Amino acid sequence: MSPHTKGALYGLTAALLFGVSAPIAKLFLSEVSPVLMAGLLYAGGGLGLLLCEWGRRRWGSATVDDAPLRRADLPLLIGIVCLGGMGGPILMLLGLQRLSGVFGSLLLNLEAPFTILLAVGLFKEHLTRKEAAGAIIILLGAGLIGYAPFEPVGDPVGVLALSGATICWAFDNNLTQRLSSLRDPLAVMTVKALSAGIVMIGIGWFSHDRWPVAMAVAALMGLGTVSYGVSLVLDAYALRIIGAAREAAYFATAPFVGAAFSVPLLGEVWGTREVLVALLMGVGVLLLQGARHVHLHTHAETEHDHLHNHIDPHHDHHETFVDGAHAHQHRHQPITHEHTHVSDLHHRHPHA
């Protein structure tokens, strides 16, 4: 499987697992506050990932160890936790209190275009024209899912808060891409999910929100294990493989997944708009997946530590071939070559 296809599968599966959480979580809104619900979902995700880490250590001989987090990673990790695990959720909840649900959902779709703009403009990723067209089509479909022109908008403070949340998550996506390219995505996402869960539960506790019954707590944390734990890790792997810009486009299909699962779970029905969105997003995904970026490019000398194997032409730094994936400090010699590539760790070179 090509890296592009693997990254697409990770990103789309992450969107599927995250998107299905919205209609399921909606079933509990009558007895759980949004703040406390967010905390339980994130906490469930973090605890689930801790369990995965325990299993990996217990049966480590059957797995590949990725590069662990190091002290030098602390600035990036703090940024991910503060922006993605704390700032984003808090601003989102403040904004949703002041805006209609429909308009709030539309504003949350700004995360994807903000992520793409930052990835391309600030973090030196690239998109071909075909990929840019696919991303725009997917974003258009995501906007159409919640489009309701006669819904009340809400006050400017709510708009600013929710817009601020999407900017926080856009930076979070790009910082996560950089860190998960070097370090173990499971470790990165465990820290993020647990931090967000603790913050949200703490806000709910100090706000004197009513604690739900034990069955609701167990159900929400179980849902969080899949939709906020496994989904986050798959998303981090997608970020590692294909970059933040492409991942944002694939993950933008999550609102459509939520709308699709609302039919059997909430008794909602599909109309012309939903069918149109399905077709638009399908075309966008095909354009993204079908694009290929090939040109002559030069890699400068660099030294870093991350998971790699010696089949990759960028990692022939040993005189003797080492079988399998492994992580250690290694140096890349300058090299100029031409091959299909995306915006992974080794391809942040300038594009005309």
Side-chain angles (χ1 to χ4, degrees):
M1 184 183 299
S2 71
H4 200 150
T5 301
K6 185 183 294 185
L9 286 176
Y10 282 151
L12 290 171
T13 305
L16 170 65
L17 297 179
F18 182 78
V20 74
S21 68
I24 296 176
K26 192 173 181 179
L27 297 172
F28 295 89
L29 277 176
S30 60
E31 54 180 302
V32 188
S33 72
V35 178
L36 203 50
M37 180 181 293
L40 291 172
L41 289 169
Y42 271 113
L47 292 175
L49 295 182
L50 279 178
L51 185 62
C52 290
E53 177 62 25
W54 175 82
R56 186 168 66 174
R57 291 180 180 276
R58 177 73 181 272
W59 296 286
S61 59
T63 62
V64 175
D65 287 330
D66 215 323
L69 288 168
R70 308 191 188 284
R71 183 176 298 178
D73 303 322
L74 196 57
L76 278 177
L77 192 60
I78 290 174
I80 290 168
V81 170
C82 290
L83 292 171
M86 300 180 186
I90 291 172
L91 287 172
M92 178 191 70
L93 293 168
L94 290 174
L96 290 177
Q97 288 177 343
R98 298 170 174 266
L99 301 173
S100 71
V102 172
F103 190 73
S105 298
L106 277 176
L107 278 180
L108 286 174
N109 286 324
L110 289 174
E111 178 186 345
F114 282 155
T115 297
I116 293 172
L117 287 173
L118 285 172
V120 175
L122 185 61
F123 292 98
K124 308 306 179 186
E125 292 194 16
H126 59 81
L127 288 173
T128 66
R129 291 181 180 178
K130 191 174 182 180
E131 288 171 326
I136 290 171
I137 290 173
I138 292 173
L139 297 179
L140 177 62
L144 285 174
I145 277 291
Y147 180 65
F150 302 111
E151 284 284 327
V153 171
D155 63 35
V157 175
V159 173
L160 288 174
L162 214 53
S163 300
T166 62
I167 293 173
C168 284
W169 283 321
F171 273 103
D172 168 43
N173 290 333
N174 281 279
L175 295 178
T176 299
Q177 196 282 330
R178 296 181 75 83
L179 187 56
S180 63
S181 293
L182 292 168
R183 305 292 176 241
D184 183 3
L186 180 58
V188 175
M189 292 299 102
T190 300
V191 173
K192 177 183 176 180
L194 286 176
S195 301
I198 291 170
V199 168
M200 293 294 100
I201 290 174
I203 292 174
W205 180 271
F206 285 110
S207 300
H208 304 291
D209 291 344
R210 181 170 59 89
W211 194 261
V213 298
M215 286 295 292
V217 171
L220 286 170
M221 293 189 73
L223 177 63
T225 298
V226 176
S227 295
Y228 285 71
V230 177
S231 175
L232 280 176
V233 172
L234 289 174
D235 192 52
Y237 276 110
L239 286 165
R240 166 190 275 191
I241 296 170
I242 58 176
R246 292 171 180 82
E247 177 278 335
Y250 285 123
F251 200 78
T253 59
F256 169 73
V257 173
F261 275 91
S262 294
V263 176
L265 293 175
L266 303 176
E268 298 182 3
V269 296
W270 271 30
T272 304
R273 178 170 60 184
E274 286 74 20
V275 174
L276 175 61
V277 166
L279 294 173
L280 277 175
M281 287 192 163
V283 171
V285 169
L286 288 175
L287 285 174
L288 267 175
Q289 175 56 26
R292 291 294 179 267
H293 182 75
V294 184
H295 64 93
L296 190 68
H297 57 278
T298 299
H299 298 269
E301 182 177 357
T302 186
E303 184 174 351
H304 54 195
D305 173 17
H306 67 96
L307 187 70
H308 62 282
N309 62 60
H310 294 165
I311 300 175
D312 182 354
H314 301 95
H315 294 95
D316 56 354
H317 48 265
H318 285 303
E319 293 182 0
T320 58
F321 180 81
V322 178
D323 190 20
H326 57 284
H328 63 88
Q329 192 78 12
H330 58 276
R331 181 182 298 276
H332 292 267
Q333 298 300 324
I335 182 176
T336 298
H337 58 182
E338 180 177 347
H339 65 98
T340 302
H341 61 278
V342 291
S343 298
D344 59 17
L345 176 65
H346 299 99
H347 294 95
R348 294 304 180 95
H349 47 264
H351 291 80

